[in-house]
Amino acid sequence: QLQVKLLPFLLHPLWQSPLTIPGGTRQSPINIQWRDSVYDPFLKPLKISYDPTTCLHIWNNGYSFLVEFDDSADRSIIVGGPLENQYRLKQFHFHWGAINEWGSEHTVDSKFYPAELHLVHWNAVVYPTFEEAVMEGNGLAVIGVFLKLGAHHEGLQMLVDALPAIKHKDAVIEFDVFDPSCLIPSCPDYWTYAGSLTTPPLTESVTWIIKKQPIEVDENQLEAFRMLLFTSDGEEEKRMVDNFRPLQPLMNRTVRSSFQ
Ligand SMILES: NS(=O)(=O)c1ccc(NCc2ccco2)cc1
Ligand SMILES: [Zn+2]
């Protein structure tokens, strides 16, 4: 009987179910139940200092589009918040849905947003490379920002204008100067919890910092995400939509909030 109930989990097309991650006790994404989050007065404000000239290129990796940064030195970093070290910005990317009713990876009180931004940082104080940090419990810090349908977002438009040039998997274009802090809401409030990567290798190495306040983007900007393709040039076209992992069990975790 149990096997039948778990079948949808086991058959889920996109990702491995939690049952197949060896010892998976801190998987992501999760639902953030606001009233179950615990205010932690010892959480510091998150300090974000990005150097826009560390921006390298924007590319379609066949699952999302990402903007990558020169992380060979401590030029774009975050520090404070729940973090014990400073972490270097490596890339940011998004997850979104085919329609505005879903698309984010995390949910708040079971509500989906149409999209979610992830700014991926790694602990270069303790680990020599990103690839090694990916395998360690305190290796990564990812800032999650929800996108909601609303006003046009000027800063996002620069990215949107580049998308037609990276329509297909593995397409890449140079992206000289971009300051991703324009995509982070001014409100300092966040939730934080210990989690994992939401795509393979799904390693449990991420300190998640989820901003409470979403940013607003307009319909045309969300539609531009949806015109990207999972597929390479010459292959049968598959629109890049619904590139989010199913919610994972909270298990023995508490989500802390930086606000009351
Ligand atoms: N969606 S996410 O923010 O949890 C995320 C972030 C980064 C990777 N990177 C996967 C990777 C590349 C090399 C080794 O590992 C995968 C998923
Ligand atoms: Zn992500």
Side-chain angles (χ1 to χ4, degrees), residues 58-60 63-65 96-99 157-169 171 173 219-232 237-243:
I58 182 170
W59 69 293
N60 178 332
Y63 181 66
S64 180
F65 70 92
W96 60 91
I99 61 173
Q157 194 53 36
M158 272 187 63
L159 296 177
V160 167
D161 290 339
L163 298 185
I166 58 164
K167 187 180 171 78
H168 295 99
K169 181 173 185 293
I173 57 164
E219 182 61 36
N220 293 333
Q221 294 179 311
L222 286 170
E223 276 306 319
F225 285 16
R226 299 178 182 130
M227 66 104 219
L228 290 170
L229 301 177
F230 281 127
T231 44
S232 306
E237 298 203 347
K238 289 197 184 78
R239 288 190 318 141
M240 185 182 277
V241 292
D242 298 333
N243 55 357

Side-chain angles (χ1 to χ4, degrees), residues 100-254:
N100 297 337
E101 275 55 44
W102 59 72
S104 58
E105 294 215 295
H106 293 86
T107 54
V108 179
D109 294 344
S110 301
K111 169 196 158 70
F112 283 93
Y113 284 88
E116 185 173 332
L117 160 64
H118 289 159
L119 295 129
V120 182
H121 310 75
W122 60 284
N123 186 343
V125 171
V126 175
Y127 305 110
T129 65
F130 169 76
E131 283 70 21
E132 282 175 79
V134 161
M135 308 310 288
E136 302 295 335
N138 64 343
L140 303 181
V142 181
I143 298 175
V145 179
F146 294 117
L147 277 63
K148 72 177 264 197
L149 186 62
H152 181 79
H153 194 293
E154 270 309 301
L156 187 76
Q157 194 53 36
M158 272 187 63
L159 296 177
V160 167
D161 290 339
L163 298 185
I166 58 164
K167 187 180 171 78
H168 295 99
K169 181 173 185 293
D170 296 330
V172 55
I173 57 164
E174 200 184 313
F175 212 60
D176 291 359
V177 181
F178 184 78
D179 181 357
S181 36
C182 77
L183 300 173
I184 300 175
S186 53
C187 176
D189 296 346
Y190 62 84
W191 289 284
T192 184
Y193 78 96
S196 73
L197 296 177
T198 63
T199 65
L202 300 170
T203 46
E204 298 183 333
S205 53
V206 182
T207 298
W208 281 96
I209 299 166
I210 307 286
K211 301 290 282 185
K212 181 185 82 174
Q213 185 180 54
I215 57 171
E216 288 193 22
V217 300
D218 67 24
E219 182 61 36
N220 293 333
Q221 294 179 311
L222 286 170
E223 276 306 319
F225 285 16
R226 299 178 182 130
M227 66 104 219
L228 290 170
L229 301 177
F230 281 127
T231 44
S232 306
D233 199 353
E235 283 180 346
E236 185 205 348
E237 298 203 347
K238 289 197 184 78
R239 288 190 318 141
M240 185 182 277
V241 292
D242 298 333
N243 55 357
F244 57 92
R245 189 190 192 194
L247 289 171
Q248 301 297 309
L250 183 61
M251 299 189 135
N252 180 32
R253 289 181 284 182
T254 301

Side-chain angles (χ1 to χ4, degrees), residues 8-28:
F9 249 114
L10 292 170
L11 297 177
H12 191 276
L14 263 191
W15 295 117
Q16 313 172 42
S17 79
L19 299 177
T20 61
I21 306 297
T25 58
R26 54 173 278 193
Q27 289 291 296
S28 294

